[in-house]
Amino acid sequence: MSAFPWHRGELSRLLADRGRMPHALLVHGRAGIGKVEFARALAESVLCEAPREGLACGVCASCHWFSQGNHPDFREIVPESALEDDEGEEAPAKAEKAKSLVIKIEQIRAIADFIALTTHRAGYRVLLIHPAEALHPAAANALLKTLEEPPANTLIVLVSDQPARLLATIRSRCRLLRLTAPPRKEALEWLRGEGVAAPEVALAGAGGAPLLARDLAEPPEAELRRRVLAELARPGGADPVQFASGMEKANVERLIYWMQTWVHDLLRVRLAGEARHHGDLAPALKARAQAADVEGLFALERELAAARRLASHPLNPRLVAEHLLMAYNRATVVTKP
Ligand SMILES: [Zn+2]
């Protein structure tokens, strides 16, 4: 378990002074840059029994357990819905429905038992919670109680893309650590190493976040991007009803993501800048930008941001898609008098 190369310096700095390790740490930064991997590497290093220059040795009993996923002094808390994502297979729609998208209060209450025990290895214990913005309000309040009376020898790590959505009282109890994306050159090298076919397009589409870029380059994701952008590029405007009819729940967040990046690019092109995300589609962007209404695009940006906050549990994916594409048409298809 190791952090990505671009975060190793940060990890070493944090571990250099173990005596001053905080009780709680909030690791934040953009999606898709490797924050969770950083937090796991931190946990492994803190638990390691023979750290080398502060970092996990990889060979002691503790490191061995950690790599096997069964270290008794480590807990990772995620929403149920995130549990089987790692398997890589699409979960059947029925099973997906039953899985919770939030971190429940029961999950936080269970921590109490974990914390009450003495550690198995007479050292630290580490609790990793992500994404922290998925904490149910009741769970957040329960966690706050733990943070207010920090247990000894315990490190609680929260990871979040959207720290503004956490309770201010939780944020204020944590040391904040902001992680950033690597420089473009380093990100491209890494993507090539991962076998991504068109790393420049993927990285631009992901706004510079390498892990997100890798995910977006996977064939089903790349196909969804192609479909969404082809729809948004249509000279006469999108066909909301037709497009939305094939919309699946799992794709709503990505639809909104691609609409946000496309609208962001339209504004940049319109306001005399260059596309940030979809430079590979420059002619279509230019054409759509010329026909668009700038105020309308700003309003659409706000609407998409609001939709994104609800997108992890859309009640009706078809209606959400239809509604957003209609809003898009209003902002981009100017009917000549
Ligand atoms: Zn070790």
Side-chain angles (χ1 to χ4, degrees), residues 296-313:
L297 289 178
F298 281 128
L300 183 57
E301 271 199 326
R302 289 191 293 273
E303 186 161 1
L304 287 166
R308 191 167 191 183
R309 284 193 287 275
L310 303 171
S312 52
H313 39 92

Side-chain angles (χ1 to χ4, degrees), residues 44-45 47-52 55-64:
E44 184 177 24
S45 300
L47 294 168
C48 173
E49 289 164 6
R52 293 178 186 164
L55 300 175
C57 73
V59 294
C60 72
S62 175
C63 285
H64 179 71

Side-chain angles (χ1 to χ4, degrees), residues 224 227-228 231-232 238-249 251-256 259 300 303-304 307 311 314-330:
L224 183 64
R227 266 174 50 215
V228 172
E231 195 65 25
L232 300 179
D239 184 340
V241 176
Q242 169 70 24
F243 185 86
S245 67
M247 201 66 209
E248 288 163 30
K249 209 168 213 166
N251 292 340
V252 172
E253 276 191 279
R254 284 291 195 246
L255 167 70
I256 294 173
M259 286 188 76
L300 183 57
E303 186 161 1
L304 287 166
L315 293 176
N316 185 329
R318 191 178 55 76
L319 280 183
V320 173
E322 215 174 287
H323 172 81
L324 291 175
L325 288 171
M326 282 193 232
Y328 173 77
N329 282 349
R330 280 197 298 278

